[in-house]
Amino acid sequence: MPVLVYAENAGGKFKKSTFEAVSYAKAIADATNTGLTAISIGDVAAADLAALGNYGAEKVLNVANDKLKNFVNQAYASVIAEAAKAEGADIVVLSNSFSGRGLAPRIGVKLQAGVADGAVALPSIEGGKFTVKKTAFSGKAFATVELTSAIKVVSLTPNSYKVVDGGADAAVEDFAVETKESDFKAMIKDIVRSADKVSLPDAEIVVSGGRGLKGPENWGLVEELAELLGAATACSKPVSDAGWRPHSEHVGQTGIAVSPNLYIAIGISGAIQHLAGVSSSKVIVVINKDADAPFFKVADYGIVGDAFEVLPKLIAAVKAYKA
Ligand code: FAD
């Protein structure tokens, strides 16, 4: 019984988090002595589908259906569940991306499966027990959960498992599905892509600003540092509420959850609701003029100082390093 992995694409291209999920699913397939089948929904080039073999998929099911061109939560969950049944898969893996967060529980219900969402490590499969370490309470804690159901759904936190490549091309098969009207009650009409150079949920480096930056006119420093580092920009909730930055940059419990390799927080106090969306970042650097700011408690590196003095020096240092 193969492992099934959902290979999510954005605008027809697979994302890094997809390669992480396929690599992760391959490691689970190897640990359970089984094969790995991937499923892709939407318009993806044949060569890109076959290239999923590079990350461990032996077979790729391609669902090219006009009604499924744009992401529809219920309909995608139905298709993935149908594919799991057709393949006889007892483990379904996907990324805990924005869409993955909506899909995992729906697939779980359709397959009567146990769900571990936000896994941060490979499952332990010993003595018939399947346990997974995952984030809990909006990223404020970790929990190790045991899935006792016959079918298991695991969604992987982006940036928490390395991409492993080196395999041969996968065989690509069309997977025909019959869509149900009842799966299309809520639909995406149009997708407007932001002009951001680096997509925030997928960014490896995030430079984030808070109310300590005083106003939108000062964001040039944040943008300059982000550009030099190839990073995405983000902000705290009050900053987007005040209209200093777009809501698409708001990170935290009520915003986007990010887990980059490097998160640089500038003039952000580190309230629990902010930390909920950023604390699984690999390395956290905090710049704050208040040495008692709560963010320092979770920082790997901290600079106590005025952002308007520290940032120009940091920018100059990065420029000198790159020269
Ligand atoms: P402040 O708390 O005002 O902190 C500004 C910081 O900047 C201070 O630490 C200060 O020392 C420092 N500073 C000031 N001047 C300088 C300077 N010149 N140089 C360096 N440092 C300086 N917040 C989120 O971010 N994301 C969420 O998703 C979110 N969800 C929420 C949900 C709920 C239900 C609630 C109640 C709140 C939520 N909040 C969220 C708000 C959260 O509680 C905090 O109010 C918010 O994170 C504070 O934003 P801040 O750190 O930018 O501003």
Side-chain angles (χ1 to χ4, degrees):
M1 293 210 272
V3 172
L4 181 76
V5 59
Y6 168 52
E8 177 182 340
N9 73 77
K13 288 281 168 206
F14 292 127
K15 309 175 350 166
K16 178 173 161 267
S17 54
T18 299
F19 302 137
E20 291 167 357
V22 178
S23 305
Y24 177 83
K26 170 65 175 161
I28 298 177
D30 285 348
T32 52
N33 291 316
T34 186
L36 176 64
T37 298
I39 178 165
S40 163
I41 308 174
D43 249 344
V44 179
D48 289 342
L49 292 170
L52 288 177
N54 201 15
Y55 309 96
E58 283 145 34
K59 183 166 82 173
V60 180
L61 304 176
N62 180 34
V63 181
N65 179 318
D66 271 354
K67 287 194 82 175
L68 298 169
K69 262 190 178 157
N70 285 340
F71 177 68
V72 187
N73 233 323
Q74 277 292 357
Y76 273 43
S78 292
V79 170
I80 296 165
E82 282 311 309
K85 286 181 195 160
E87 290 291 300
D90 52 9
I91 303 174
V92 177
V93 173
L94 64 163
S95 173
N96 195 38
S97 58
F98 178 74
S99 32
R101 284 201 289 276
L103 286 172
R106 289 178 168 88
I107 298 168
V109 168
K110 288 174 194 295
L111 296 176
Q112 296 289 290
V115 178
D117 59 330
V120 291
L122 278 172
S124 150
I125 310 165
E126 272 173 25
K129 282 192 165 190
F130 188 101
T131 52
V132 196
K133 184 177 177 190
K134 57 168 287 248
T135 56
F137 301 114
S138 306
K140 291 189 209 70
F142 293 106
T144 299
V145 295
E146 183 187 352
L147 300 186
T148 54
S149 51
I151 303 179
K152 297 151 180 70
V153 176
V154 182
S155 69
L156 175 70
T157 300
N159 268 330
S160 58
Y161 192 79
K162 65 184 181 312
V163 172
V164 183
D165 55 9
D169 272 5
V172 180
E173 289 177 12
D174 285 334
F175 185 70
V177 287
E178 282 192 22
T179 53
K180 294 183 291 207
E181 275 317 305
S182 56
D183 276 346
F184 292 88
K185 285 184 181 146
M187 287 181 63
I188 294 173
K189 288 274 187 202
D190 193 14
I191 295 176
V192 182
R193 302 223 170 267
S194 81
D196 297 347
K197 291 181 195 106
V198 183
S199 140
L200 180 56
D202 300 318
E204 300 207 7
I205 304 178
V206 173
V207 181
S208 190
R211 214 151 37 179
L213 282 163
K214 314 288 184 223
E217 66 281 5
N218 296 323
W219 240 263
L221 289 167
V222 174
E223 281 172 342
E224 192 176 357
L225 180 61
E227 182 151 3
L228 281 167
L229 296 173
T233 47
C235 66
S236 65
K237 182 174 183 292
V239 164
S240 65
D241 285 349
W244 296 359
R245 298 298 290 176
H247 278 289
S248 57
E249 287 197 0
H250 156 201
V251 290
Q253 184 180 319
T254 46
I256 294 175
V258 293
S259 50
N261 290 330
L262 175 61
Y263 184 80
I264 303 177
I266 307 156
I268 305 177
S269 56
I272 190 118
Q273 296 90 352
H274 185 86
L275 297 183
V278 308
S279 55
S280 58
S281 305
K282 284 225 167 64
V283 175
I284 296 178
V285 175
V286 171
I287 302 169
N288 197 304
K289 69 176 186 185
D290 175 8
D292 294 324
F295 222 143
F296 284 121
K297 292 203 179 100
V298 297
D300 296 282
Y301 299 94
I303 301 172
V304 180
D306 187 321
F308 299 104
E309 289 169 19
V310 175
L311 274 180
K313 287 182 186 160
L314 198 53
I315 289 166
V318 177
K319 278 185 181 162
Y321 175 79
K322 293 183 98 182

